[in-house]
Short mmCIF file of all heavy atoms in Angstrom, two decimals:
data_model
loop_
_atom_site.label_atom_id
_atom_site.label_comp_id
_atom_site.label_asym_id
_atom_site.label_seq_id
_atom_site.Cartn_x
_atom_site.Cartn_y
_atom_site.Cartn_z
N GLU A 12 -55.30 50.81 39.85
CA GLU A 12 -54.00 50.18 40.13
C GLU A 12 -53.66 49.11 39.09
O GLU A 12 -52.53 49.06 38.59
CB GLU A 12 -54.03 49.56 41.54
CG GLU A 12 -53.86 50.54 42.68
CD GLU A 12 -55.15 51.18 43.15
OE1 GLU A 12 -56.21 50.91 42.52
OE2 GLU A 12 -55.13 51.94 44.13
N SER A 13 -54.62 48.26 38.75
CA SER A 13 -54.35 47.15 37.83
C SER A 13 -54.09 47.63 36.41
O SER A 13 -53.12 47.21 35.77
CB SER A 13 -55.53 46.16 37.84
OG SER A 13 -55.72 45.63 39.14
N ALA A 14 -54.96 48.49 35.89
CA ALA A 14 -54.80 48.98 34.52
C ALA A 14 -53.48 49.73 34.36
O ALA A 14 -52.77 49.55 33.36
CB ALA A 14 -55.98 49.87 34.14
N ASP A 15 -53.15 50.56 35.33
CA ASP A 15 -51.91 51.33 35.25
C ASP A 15 -50.70 50.40 35.23
O ASP A 15 -49.74 50.62 34.48
CB ASP A 15 -51.80 52.30 36.43
CG ASP A 15 -52.77 53.47 36.32
OD1 ASP A 15 -53.48 53.56 35.29
OD2 ASP A 15 -52.83 54.29 37.26
N LEU A 16 -50.73 49.36 36.07
CA LEU A 16 -49.59 48.45 36.14
C LEU A 16 -49.43 47.64 34.86
O LEU A 16 -48.31 47.43 34.38
CB LEU A 16 -49.74 47.52 37.34
CG LEU A 16 -48.63 46.49 37.55
CD1 LEU A 16 -47.26 47.17 37.66
CD2 LEU A 16 -48.90 45.64 38.79
N VAL A 17 -50.55 47.17 34.29
CA VAL A 17 -50.46 46.41 33.04
C VAL A 17 -49.85 47.27 31.94
O VAL A 17 -48.96 46.83 31.20
CB VAL A 17 -51.86 45.90 32.62
CG1 VAL A 17 -51.82 45.32 31.21
CG2 VAL A 17 -52.35 44.83 33.60
N ARG A 18 -50.30 48.52 31.83
CA ARG A 18 -49.76 49.41 30.79
C ARG A 18 -48.30 49.75 31.07
O ARG A 18 -47.47 49.74 30.16
CB ARG A 18 -50.59 50.69 30.70
CG ARG A 18 -51.84 50.58 29.87
CD ARG A 18 -52.39 51.96 29.56
NE ARG A 18 -52.67 52.69 30.80
CZ ARG A 18 -53.84 52.63 31.43
NH1 ARG A 18 -54.82 51.91 30.92
NH2 ARG A 18 -54.04 53.30 32.54
N ARG A 19 -48.00 50.10 32.32
CA ARG A 19 -46.65 50.52 32.65
C ARG A 19 -45.64 49.41 32.42
O ARG A 19 -44.52 49.65 31.96
CB ARG A 19 -46.61 50.99 34.11
CG ARG A 19 -45.28 51.60 34.53
CD ARG A 19 -45.38 52.23 35.92
NE ARG A 19 -45.56 51.24 36.96
CZ ARG A 19 -46.66 51.11 37.68
NH1 ARG A 19 -47.71 51.86 37.44
NH2 ARG A 19 -46.74 50.21 38.64
N SER A 20 -46.02 48.19 32.74
CA SER A 20 -45.09 47.06 32.60
C SER A 20 -45.02 46.53 31.18
O SER A 20 -44.05 45.87 30.81
CB SER A 20 -45.51 45.94 33.54
OG SER A 20 -46.77 45.38 33.14
N GLY A 21 -46.05 46.80 30.37
CA GLY A 21 -46.13 46.18 29.05
C GLY A 21 -46.52 44.72 29.13
O GLY A 21 -46.30 43.96 28.19
N GLY A 22 -47.12 44.33 30.27
CA GLY A 22 -47.40 42.92 30.52
C GLY A 22 -48.76 42.43 30.08
O GLY A 22 -49.23 41.41 30.60
N GLY A 23 -49.39 43.13 29.11
CA GLY A 23 -50.68 42.63 28.65
C GLY A 23 -51.51 43.70 27.98
O GLY A 23 -50.99 44.71 27.48
N PHE A 24 -52.83 43.47 27.99
CA PHE A 24 -53.78 44.36 27.34
C PHE A 24 -54.72 44.95 28.38
O PHE A 24 -55.08 44.29 29.36
CB PHE A 24 -54.63 43.59 26.31
CG PHE A 24 -53.86 42.96 25.20
CD1 PHE A 24 -53.36 41.67 25.32
CD2 PHE A 24 -53.62 43.65 24.02
CE1 PHE A 24 -52.66 41.06 24.30
CE2 PHE A 24 -52.91 43.06 22.98
CZ PHE A 24 -52.43 41.77 23.12
N THR A 25 -55.17 46.17 28.15
CA THR A 25 -56.25 46.76 28.93
C THR A 25 -57.40 47.03 27.96
O THR A 25 -57.20 47.61 26.89
CB THR A 25 -55.83 48.06 29.62
OG1 THR A 25 -55.39 49.02 28.65
CG2 THR A 25 -54.70 47.80 30.61
N VAL A 26 -58.59 46.60 28.35
CA VAL A 26 -59.78 46.73 27.52
C VAL A 26 -60.85 47.46 28.32
O VAL A 26 -61.06 47.14 29.49
CB VAL A 26 -60.30 45.34 27.08
CG1 VAL A 26 -61.60 45.45 26.30
CG2 VAL A 26 -59.24 44.61 26.26
N PRO A 27 -61.54 48.43 27.72
CA PRO A 27 -62.58 49.16 28.47
C PRO A 27 -63.69 48.24 28.96
O PRO A 27 -64.03 47.23 28.32
CB PRO A 27 -63.11 50.17 27.44
CG PRO A 27 -62.01 50.32 26.43
CD PRO A 27 -61.35 48.98 26.37
N TYR A 28 -64.26 48.60 30.06
CA TYR A 28 -65.40 47.88 30.63
C TYR A 28 -66.53 47.81 29.60
O TYR A 28 -66.89 48.80 28.97
CB TYR A 28 -65.87 48.61 31.89
CG TYR A 28 -67.11 48.06 32.53
CD1 TYR A 28 -67.08 46.86 33.23
CD2 TYR A 28 -68.32 48.75 32.45
CE1 TYR A 28 -68.21 46.35 33.84
CE2 TYR A 28 -69.47 48.25 33.07
CZ TYR A 28 -69.40 47.06 33.75
OH TYR A 28 -70.53 46.56 34.36
N GLY A 29 -67.06 46.61 29.39
CA GLY A 29 -68.16 46.43 28.46
C GLY A 29 -67.75 46.13 27.03
O GLY A 29 -68.61 45.84 26.18
N ASP A 30 -66.45 46.18 26.73
CA ASP A 30 -65.98 46.01 25.35
C ASP A 30 -65.63 44.55 25.07
O ASP A 30 -64.46 44.15 25.07
CB ASP A 30 -64.77 46.92 25.11
CG ASP A 30 -64.31 46.92 23.66
OD1 ASP A 30 -64.97 46.27 22.82
OD2 ASP A 30 -63.28 47.58 23.37
N ALA A 31 -66.64 43.73 24.79
CA ALA A 31 -66.41 42.32 24.50
C ALA A 31 -65.63 42.15 23.20
O ALA A 31 -64.80 41.24 23.07
CB ALA A 31 -67.73 41.57 24.42
N ASP A 32 -65.88 43.03 22.22
CA ASP A 32 -65.14 42.95 20.96
C ASP A 32 -63.65 43.20 21.19
O ASP A 32 -62.80 42.59 20.52
CB ASP A 32 -65.69 43.97 19.96
CG ASP A 32 -67.09 43.61 19.47
OD1 ASP A 32 -67.47 42.43 19.59
OD2 ASP A 32 -67.80 44.51 18.99
N GLY A 33 -63.33 44.08 22.13
CA GLY A 33 -61.93 44.34 22.46
C GLY A 33 -61.26 43.11 23.04
O GLY A 33 -60.08 42.85 22.78
N VAL A 34 -62.01 42.34 23.83
CA VAL A 34 -61.48 41.09 24.39
C VAL A 34 -61.20 40.11 23.26
O VAL A 34 -60.14 39.47 23.22
CB VAL A 34 -62.47 40.50 25.41
CG1 VAL A 34 -62.00 39.12 25.87
CG2 VAL A 34 -62.64 41.42 26.60
N VAL A 35 -62.14 40.01 22.32
CA VAL A 35 -61.95 39.08 21.19
C VAL A 35 -60.73 39.49 20.37
O VAL A 35 -59.92 38.63 19.99
CB VAL A 35 -63.21 39.06 20.30
CG1 VAL A 35 -62.95 38.26 19.03
CG2 VAL A 35 -64.39 38.47 21.07
N ARG A 36 -60.58 40.78 20.11
CA ARG A 36 -59.43 41.25 19.32
C ARG A 36 -58.11 40.92 20.01
O ARG A 36 -57.14 40.50 19.37
CB ARG A 36 -59.54 42.75 19.06
CG ARG A 36 -60.61 43.12 18.04
CD ARG A 36 -60.45 44.57 17.59
NE ARG A 36 -60.64 45.50 18.69
CZ ARG A 36 -61.82 46.02 19.04
NH1 ARG A 36 -62.92 45.68 18.37
NH2 ARG A 36 -61.91 46.88 20.04
N ALA A 37 -58.06 41.12 21.32
CA ALA A 37 -56.82 40.83 22.05
C ALA A 37 -56.50 39.34 22.00
O ALA A 37 -55.34 38.94 21.79
CB ALA A 37 -56.95 41.30 23.50
N ILE A 38 -57.52 38.50 22.18
CA ILE A 38 -57.31 37.05 22.13
C ILE A 38 -56.85 36.61 20.75
O ILE A 38 -55.92 35.80 20.61
CB ILE A 38 -58.60 36.32 22.55
CG1 ILE A 38 -58.87 36.54 24.05
CG2 ILE A 38 -58.50 34.82 22.24
CD1 ILE A 38 -60.20 36.01 24.52
N GLU A 39 -57.48 37.14 19.71
CA GLU A 39 -57.08 36.77 18.35
C GLU A 39 -55.67 37.24 18.03
O GLU A 39 -54.92 36.56 17.32
CB GLU A 39 -58.08 37.35 17.35
CG GLU A 39 -59.44 36.65 17.39
CD GLU A 39 -60.41 37.20 16.37
OE1 GLU A 39 -60.28 38.39 16.01
OE2 GLU A 39 -61.30 36.43 15.93
N ARG A 40 -55.30 38.37 18.58
CA ARG A 40 -53.92 38.85 18.36
C ARG A 40 -52.92 37.91 19.01
O ARG A 40 -51.87 37.59 18.43
CB ARG A 40 -53.77 40.27 18.91
CG ARG A 40 -52.45 40.92 18.55
CD ARG A 40 -52.40 42.35 19.02
NE ARG A 40 -51.07 42.91 18.81
CZ ARG A 40 -50.66 44.06 19.31
NH1 ARG A 40 -51.51 44.80 20.04
NH2 ARG A 40 -49.44 44.50 19.10
N LEU A 41 -53.21 37.47 20.21
CA LEU A 41 -52.31 36.54 20.90
C LEU A 41 -52.28 35.18 20.20
O LEU A 41 -51.24 34.53 20.13
CB LEU A 41 -52.74 36.36 22.36
CG LEU A 41 -52.49 37.56 23.28
CD1 LEU A 41 -53.16 37.32 24.63
CD2 LEU A 41 -51.00 37.81 23.46
N ARG A 42 -53.43 34.77 19.68
CA ARG A 42 -53.47 33.48 18.98
C ARG A 42 -52.64 33.53 17.71
O ARG A 42 -51.98 32.55 17.36
CB ARG A 42 -54.93 33.13 18.63
CG ARG A 42 -55.07 31.77 17.93
CD ARG A 42 -54.63 30.65 18.85
NE ARG A 42 -54.59 29.37 18.13
CZ ARG A 42 -53.54 28.57 18.10
NH1 ARG A 42 -52.43 28.90 18.73
NH2 ARG A 42 -53.58 27.43 17.46
N GLY A 43 -52.63 34.69 17.06
CA GLY A 43 -51.87 34.80 15.82
C GLY A 43 -50.40 35.08 16.02
O GLY A 43 -49.61 34.94 15.08
N ASP A 44 -50.01 35.48 17.23
CA ASP A 44 -48.61 35.82 17.50
C ASP A 44 -48.24 35.33 18.89
O ASP A 44 -48.31 36.07 19.87
CB ASP A 44 -48.41 37.33 17.38
CG ASP A 44 -46.95 37.75 17.47
OD1 ASP A 44 -46.09 36.88 17.74
OD2 ASP A 44 -46.66 38.95 17.29
N ARG A 45 -47.87 34.06 18.99
CA ARG A 45 -47.51 33.48 20.29
C ARG A 45 -46.29 34.16 20.91
O ARG A 45 -46.15 34.23 22.13
CB ARG A 45 -47.27 31.98 20.14
CG ARG A 45 -48.51 31.15 19.83
CD ARG A 45 -49.56 31.31 20.95
NE ARG A 45 -50.71 30.46 20.74
CZ ARG A 45 -50.88 29.28 21.32
NH1 ARG A 45 -49.97 28.81 22.13
NH2 ARG A 45 -51.98 28.58 21.09
N ASN A 46 -45.41 34.65 20.06
CA ASN A 46 -44.21 35.31 20.57
C ASN A 46 -44.58 36.60 21.31
O ASN A 46 -43.92 36.97 22.29
CB ASN A 46 -43.25 35.62 19.43
CG ASN A 46 -41.88 36.06 19.95
OD1 ASN A 46 -41.29 35.42 20.81
ND2 ASN A 46 -41.38 37.18 19.44
N LEU A 47 -45.64 37.28 20.88
CA LEU A 47 -46.09 38.50 21.56
C LEU A 47 -46.49 38.18 23.00
O LEU A 47 -46.14 38.91 23.93
CB LEU A 47 -47.27 39.11 20.81
CG LEU A 47 -47.95 40.32 21.48
CD1 LEU A 47 -46.97 41.47 21.60
CD2 LEU A 47 -49.19 40.72 20.71
#
């Protein structure tokens, strides 16, 4: 339910379970683009 809603709404990122590097990439992307 949560992953589908985040993708459908465009309201954020979905990262696979266990993917800490994916979390870091998403955070760095937001840090570099506050407007996003």
Side-chain angles (χ1 to χ4, degrees):
E12 282 87 356
S13 299
D15 288 357
L16 179 56
V17 170
R18 277 194 302 271
R19 186 171 69 247
S20 66
F24 299 90
T25 58
V26 175
Y28 175 73
D30 186 3
D32 291 339
V34 174
V35 172
R36 287 193 297 271
I38 291 173
E39 288 182 332
R40 189 175 173 191
L41 288 171
R42 182 64 187 127
D44 187 354
R45 291 300 185 97
N46 191 49
L47 174 63

